Amino acid sequence: MAQVEATTERVIAARAEDVFDALADYADTRRKLLPGNFSEYEVRAGGDGEGTLVHWRLQATEKRVRDCLLEVTEPVDGQLVEKDRNSSMVTTWVVTPAGEGRSKAVVTSVWNGAGGIGGFFERKFAPKGLAAIYDQILAKLAEETEGKPSGDASA
């Protein structure tokens, strides 16, 4: 089994702290950021960053649906790590300053891919598909945070 990785990033015209706070708000904001590929969203514990346990179903393709139960940690400032209890997938969100009033958000998911011919196709196509889904999330994150009063990403 080879490890599969999908990464995408976006520069957002909002302070890194505000972008991170919006991203870490699983109780409210995160639900708004998810495109139609996600269903059955439910916060089961916590709701704000570290200690959150959140469930959703991710329909990556017409036939591929992942049932995800994610434990959220914040190993360092500006970083959220979502570890799926139901698979080997780990998704890391990193938000850093990118100049005056701007930030860069990077999301990377890694998981153990399948073997054989199925694994070949997974390694070839899954990263692009997942990156496209993450692009949608980051676009909605930008809409949610750009132009908001500093320190109040939920306003």
Side-chain angles (χ1 to χ4, degrees):
M1 286 190 292
Q3 194 169 62
V4 183
E5 180 176 317
T7 300
T8 192
E9 63 183 57
R10 182 182 188 105
V11 173
I12 298 173
R15 291 179 10 162
E17 296 82 4
D18 296 334
V19 172
F20 182 82
D21 288 348
L23 194 58
D25 179 11
Y26 292 86
D28 183 41
T29 306
R30 181 62 78 94
R31 177 187 315 264
K32 296 181 209 175
L33 304 179
L34 301 178
N37 303 76
F38 292 84
S39 63
E40 299 181 26
Y41 186 94
E42 177 188 16
V43 175
R44 296 190 177 170
D48 185 20
E50 178 87 29
T52 296
L53 182 64
V54 63
H55 171 267
W56 58 59
R57 290 176 54 86
L58 169 59
Q59 182 150 6
T61 67
E62 187 174 313
K63 296 180 181 179
R64 181 71 168 121
V65 179
R66 283 184 181 261
D67 187 72
C68 303
L69 183 58
L70 305 160
E71 295 178 2
V72 179
T73 59
E74 292 183 38
V76 297
D77 285 348
Q79 184 180 76
L80 287 171
V81 177
E82 301 169 344
K83 292 182 182 175
D84 187 5
R85 288 185 179 176
N86 297 334
S87 74
S88 62
M89 183 176 273
V90 176
T91 301
T92 303
W93 301 84
V94 178
V95 180
T96 56
E100 186 66 33
R102 296 166 58 87
S103 59
K104 181 166 97 171
V106 180
V107 56
T108 302
S109 285
V110 294
W111 68 95
N112 297 327
I117 191 73
F120 168 79
F121 285 105
E122 180 180 23
R123 288 186 302 279
K124 183 160 179 65
F125 297 109
K128 288 181 184 177
L130 193 53
I133 291 169
Y134 289 152
D135 281 338
Q136 293 176 60
I137 294 171
L138 292 176
K140 289 183 178 190
L141 180 61
E143 289 174 15
E144 187 69 25
T145 57
E146 290 178 345
K148 301 281 177 147
S150 184
D152 187 11
S154 64

